[in-house]
Amino acid sequence: TNKAAREMRERIERLVGERARWITIGTFHAFCARTLRQYGAEIGIDPRFVIYDDADQLAVVKQALESLNINVKQFSPRAVLSQISKAKSSGIDPEAYRESVESYWEEIVARVYPNYQAALALRKALDFDDLLDRTVHLLREAPQAAHALRNRHRYILVDEYQDTNRVQYTLVRELGREHRNVCVVGDPDQSIYGWRAADIRNILTFREDYPDAAEIHLEENYRSTPQILAAADAVIRANLQRIDRSLRTSNTSGPLISLRECFDEGHEARVVVEEISRLQSEGFARGADFAVLYRTNAQSRPLEEMFIRAGIPYQLIGGTRFYERKEIKDALALLRLVANPDDASAFGRAIAETPLGDGIGAKTVRDIDLWMETHQQPLSVALANVGMEGGPPIAARAAKLLKGVSETLTFLREQSDELTLPELFDLTVERTGFRATFSTGDPTLADRWENVLQLRGHMEAYDALPAEERLTTFLEEVALVSDADTIEDDRDRVTLITLHAVKGLEFPIVFITGVEEGLIPHQRSISEQPEMIEEERRLFYVGITRAMHRLYLTYTATRSRFGSAAPALPSSFLNAIPHDVLEPLPGRQNMRRERLWETRPTAPTAMPIAPPVVRFLSGQSVFHTRFGEGTIVEVRDQADDQELTVAFSRHGTKRLVASLANLTVIS
């Protein structure tokens, strides 16, 4: 994350002083973005490229589907984009993907993939995967740039190497090819992003690429108490895909781990909030010392309700992020157009959502997009040809308005190198009429304008950069913000966060909720390949090791699933935790704990799954009582059941277990 990169730079500055400014420090994506701005022209990349976020990418995929006359209700743009991203993360280009097609679903993706890439090129845009992939191509296809980069970066250190995908692995290998001074730091026991194409083999087989490398085991834990460390070590030892080591700590002994059974998720939320209140009132901790972890975002709702009822401030990580708010995305669309005159996605948003597009309808924007696609010309050329023979077929009134838009954007670009970034922002929101939309006296709009001013405040830090780099660098860093980067350390609030997002963070007191079969491990990993269960166990291990002093584990007897309560079982992962690190609990909780330890098998067990009544097929139209109509895009057989990937027209793509989903075949 960017947050981790900043922390690294601060620590290195304390260690080596001024010399730290010569060290390149950053995330993979940030490093690649800087590299491509400097050398990308050698492989045909405009240095003014913009980085498309998730919403931009989805819009381009949807447009590609529509241009190919593929029904977006039948084939979800989200599912198609996910498949394209997976291919890119494995280093598979459109041509190679087409050659590997094995199903009708993959055939659809193979048709969209090249169109999607062509549309990005027209917009002078790269997506997150392109940043990595294009940098690998640069190192392979541009000898002068590759030589300069390898000599500039003679010593390479990669942190969290267990979370790298195959493209990142290739990037490190190519960058370190000449000098072979490569040091990777990582923990296979914390590899939890397999679903995002991270490949644990990168770290497990490192010695095969570098047989002369020294291997150093970092076995001392400086964070957690012996009790927490003993629980984590016992849990993870059940995995086979790991490097064995003996964890130890010099930290003093702490309280025993608390295991709590709750009736349902509402009771669970109350138990968590009451314990936080107790520890705060007794002076043991403040709000910022607590983190409440859960497997899925849906689990946050009852927790949020209980925190609100108790009046305890909290921050929800992974909800609507600051940069995803409408007013922020609208302001950024205007700035992106100033930075890149060919950013058609920003143009579409600016025309539709801001006064810049007053009087210009959606049909006009579609006509421009169609002309761009037909003539394979970028937005700047399309706008320059409006009203001319052979140009986009735009009505006279709209053409006049578009000419005014072009003149406004040209003026702002001319001023961009002469002004500071906040000054450019002020000029942009005034000239486009954006500022005036918040001046109606509506208190809701006033709050949203405060958010816009907060965005402006972030810009001041970029004024030290050369004028020509300020705007592109700001937009680049905004595009690369992650969930973890949104955590506000200086505010005294409890953090609510998923187990995946909490990776790399630490808190004095941690609650892990929903430690149940079907959540930890997740239902889709049960009865699957052993490596999926191992990744779920690593996820639980990561959650345990976020705790410094106190750890609470909770599970429920019943939990709502798809709108109705269903019985829940304690996670099989709990069986590994030694008795002597657990706090004895009174009454029924203690009785349930004894049954958990004494009678349940030690091997992971799946929730009972009845055989499905229907064997589903890819391409079938189905109906779900909650999600409505959808199309099955992938079927994976697992023992006596099936795992289905279904693209729902109104709710996007869902992965469902056939025996539990209660799907009806429509056609």
Side-chain angles (χ1 to χ4, degrees):
T1 63
N2 295 319
K3 188 183 185 74
R6 286 195 298 271
E7 171 108 359
M8 278 190 183
R9 178 167 292 283
E10 289 168 4
R11 291 187 184 188
I12 291 172
E13 285 174 351
R14 289 197 294 270
L15 284 169
V16 304
E18 280 293 308
R19 288 178 295 167
R21 65 193 177 96
W22 297 106
I23 301 172
T24 299
I25 303 171
T27 66
F28 268 99
H29 290 92
F31 168 78
C32 290
R34 288 197 296 268
T35 298
L36 292 174
R37 293 209 190 279
Q38 186 172 3
Y39 297 105
E42 296 191 29
I43 56 170
I45 295 175
D46 191 308
R48 298 173 301 171
F49 68 83
V50 292
I51 302 171
Y52 269 16
D53 65 14
D54 185 66
D56 296 322
Q57 295 169 49
L58 279 173
V60 175
V61 168
K62 184 178 179 182
Q63 188 173 331
L65 285 164
E66 290 172 344
S67 69
L68 291 166
N69 294 317
I70 297 171
N71 190 336
V72 296
K73 292 184 177 181
Q74 186 175 3
F75 296 96
S76 159
R78 167 73 62 191
V80 173
L81 178 61
S82 176
Q83 194 74 0
I84 291 173
S85 178
K86 186 177 179 181
K88 289 185 179 183
S89 296
S90 300
I92 301 172
D93 63 19
E95 185 177 343
Y97 187 88
R98 174 167 289 283
E99 292 174 359
S100 67
V101 164
E102 294 182 351
S103 68
Y104 181 59
W105 161 244
E106 291 177 350
E107 170 63 28
I108 293 295
V109 176
R111 291 164 60 189
V112 175
Y113 191 175
N115 285 32
Y116 171 74
Q117 289 301 106
L120 290 181
L122 270 182
R123 290 158 168 76
K124 294 187 175 68
L126 301 177
D127 65 19
F128 300 128
D129 298 305
D130 287 333
L131 293 173
L132 306 175
D133 185 63
R134 295 291 90 195
T135 304
V136 169
H137 278 268
L138 177 72
L139 289 165
R140 287 177 169 172
E141 299 170 9
Q144 288 185 320
H147 181 70
L149 286 164
R150 288 167 182 151
N151 275 328
R152 169 67 181 82
H153 305 101
R154 296 190 178 204
Y155 297 88
I156 301 165
L157 169 66
V158 186
D159 194 19
E160 304 286 6
Y161 191 67
Q162 77 282 345
D163 292 329
T164 53
N165 59 32
R166 295 308 283 180
V167 173
Q168 290 166 327
Y169 157 85
T170 304
L171 175 63
V172 172
R173 191 180 62 185
E174 290 291 335
L175 194 60
R177 182 179 294 281
E178 288 183 16
H179 300 285
R180 292 178 58 80
N181 296 316
V182 176
C183 175
V184 302
V185 183
D187 180 0
D189 291 340
Q190 297 189 50
S191 179
I192 60 173
Y193 297 116
W195 54 278
R196 212 161 64 186
D199 195 334
I200 194 173
R201 294 175 299 175
N202 293 351
I203 191 166
L204 293 177
T205 62
F206 182 78
R207 292 292 293 272
E208 295 178 13
D209 291 323
Y210 302 91
D212 53 337
E215 186 173 314
I216 303 165
H217 286 202
L218 305 176
E219 298 180 332
E220 182 167 5
N221 179 294
Y222 297 92
R223 174 187 299 150
S224 305
T225 64
Q227 289 81 359
I228 293 170
L229 196 61
D233 192 44
V235 165
I236 203 61
R237 284 192 174 277
N239 274 10
L240 299 177
Q241 284 190 307
R242 63 189 303 266
I243 298 172
D244 190 36
R245 69 261 171 83
S246 300
L247 297 178
R248 66 182 189 278
T249 184
S250 300
N251 292 339
T252 57
S253 183
L256 295 173
I257 297 168
S258 177
L259 177 66
R260 305 285 179 91
E261 181 194 46
C262 305
F263 176 69
D264 58 14
E265 57 264 45
H267 181 215
E268 181 181 52
R270 188 166 71 250
V271 166
V272 169
V273 171
E274 286 177 353
E275 183 65 4
I276 289 174
S277 284
R278 183 185 71 81
L279 292 172
Q280 285 184 304
S281 63
E282 294 178 5
F284 282 107
R286 62 192 191 98
D289 292 333
F290 297 95
V292 183
L293 316 183
Y294 36 83
R295 179 64 175 81
T296 66
N297 280 308
Q299 291 171 254
S300 71
R301 183 189 56 78
L303 290 163
E304 287 190 82
E305 290 175 356
M306 197 60 67
F307 275 103
I308 292 169
R309 194 178 305 169
I312 297 177
Y314 68 92
Q315 57 177 332
L316 178 67
I317 307 304
T320 302
R321 299 207 312 248
F322 177 77
Y323 291 107
E324 291 176 346
R325 292 171 178 163
K326 179 186 182 302
E327 61 271 19
I328 300 302
K329 292 183 76 70
D330 292 347
L332 289 173
L334 294 170
L335 291 173
R336 282 168 49 182
L337 276 175
V338 174
N340 178 359
D342 293 320
D343 189 346
S345 288
F347 175 77
R349 184 177 189 101
I351 295 300
E353 304 291 343
T354 78
L356 184 69
D358 283 354
I360 301 172
K363 182 181 182 303
T364 297
V365 175
R366 285 197 300 272
D367 288 341
I368 291 172
D369 285 338
L370 182 61
W371 189 91
M372 289 168 53
E373 183 180 351
T374 303
H375 293 78
Q376 283 298 290
Q377 294 292 335
L379 175 65
S380 57
V381 174
L383 292 179
N385 281 274
V386 167
M388 299 177 63
E389 186 176 349
I394 307 298
R397 180 176 177 277
K400 183 178 180 180
L401 293 171
L402 284 170
K403 183 179 179 182
V405 168
S406 295
E407 290 173 350
T408 297
L409 294 175
T410 299
F411 170 75
L412 292 170
R413 288 185 200 110
E414 290 170 349
Q415 300 297 310
S416 61
D417 287 347
E418 307 297 324
L419 303 174
T420 66
L421 205 47
E423 289 171 344
L424 176 63
F425 174 82
D426 292 342
L427 183 63
T428 300
V429 297
E430 289 297 334
R431 282 299 181 106
T432 60
F434 185 66
R435 170 69 182 91
T437 62
F438 298 90
S439 304
T440 63
D442 184 336
T444 303
L445 290 178
D447 289 342
R448 289 170 59 185
W449 179 246
E450 285 296 321
N451 291 332
V452 176
L453 291 180
Q454 187 177 342
L455 176 71
R456 182 189 186 279
H458 293 340
M459 298 176 184
E460 295 175 0
Y462 296 83
D463 284 343
L465 295 174
E468 67 276 9
E469 296 179 16
R470 292 170 188 160
L471 182 54
T472 54
T473 303
F474 169 73
L475 293 173
E476 174 186 305
E477 295 192 5
V478 164
L480 297 178
V481 167
S482 70
D483 282 344
D485 294 322
T486 66
I487 294 176
E488 299 180 41
D489 298 322
D490 58 342
R491 299 188 66 175
D492 190 21
R493 297 185 291 177
V494 177
T495 297
L496 307 185
I497 189 169
T498 66
L499 284 161
H500 280 103
V502 80
K503 177 80 177 339
L505 305 177
E506 61 183 27
F507 297 87
I509 304 169
V510 167
F511 293 79
I512 305 180
T513 61
V515 188
E516 301 152 25
E517 293 291 293
L519 285 175
I520 307 172
H522 197 277
Q523 180 63 49
R524 64 172 171 258
S525 71
I526 297 174
S527 300
E528 261 286 3
Q529 302 96 328
E531 56 264 28
M532 290 190 70
I533 285 288
E534 291 210 354
E535 179 156 323
E536 291 291 307
R537 192 178 285 110
R538 291 194 293 268
L539 186 61
F540 188 40
Y541 170 84
V542 165
I544 292 172
T545 54
R546 299 312 93 194
M548 300 166 69
H549 305 308
R550 289 176 180 259
L551 175 64
Y552 296 81
L553 307 174
T554 66
Y555 62 90
T556 64
T558 62
R559 186 172 293 275
S560 293
R561 293 174 183 273
F562 305 111
S564 60
L569 292 172
S571 171
S572 53
F573 294 164
L574 292 169
N575 293 317
I577 299 178
H579 293 230
D580 58 1
V581 301
L582 284 166
E583 173 187 283
L585 294 175
R588 184 173 182 277
Q589 291 172 327
N590 191 50
M591 291 169 60
R592 177 62 180 265
R593 185 171 66 88
E594 290 302 320
R595 290 202 301 274
L596 175 66
W597 303 115
E598 302 301 332
T599 65
R600 297 194 71 217
T602 56
T605 56
M607 292 178 67
I609 297 177
V613 177
V614 180
R615 299 298 288 182
F616 293 95
L617 301 173
S618 181
Q620 285 181 322
S621 296
V622 292
F623 178 80
H624 187 278
T625 54
R626 180 181 177 190
F627 302 129
E629 293 185 13
T631 302
I632 298 174
V633 296
E634 185 178 6
V635 177
R636 299 178 67 181
D637 290 325
Q638 42 176 246
D640 293 326
D641 210 335
Q642 293 176 299
E643 181 188 278
L644 311 175
T645 302
V646 185
F648 291 100
S649 57
R650 296 182 61 187
H651 292 273
T653 302
K654 307 290 182 184
R655 294 176 67 181
L656 306 173
V657 175
S659 61
L660 302 177
N662 194 25
L663 289 171
T664 303
V665 177
I666 301 174
S667 62

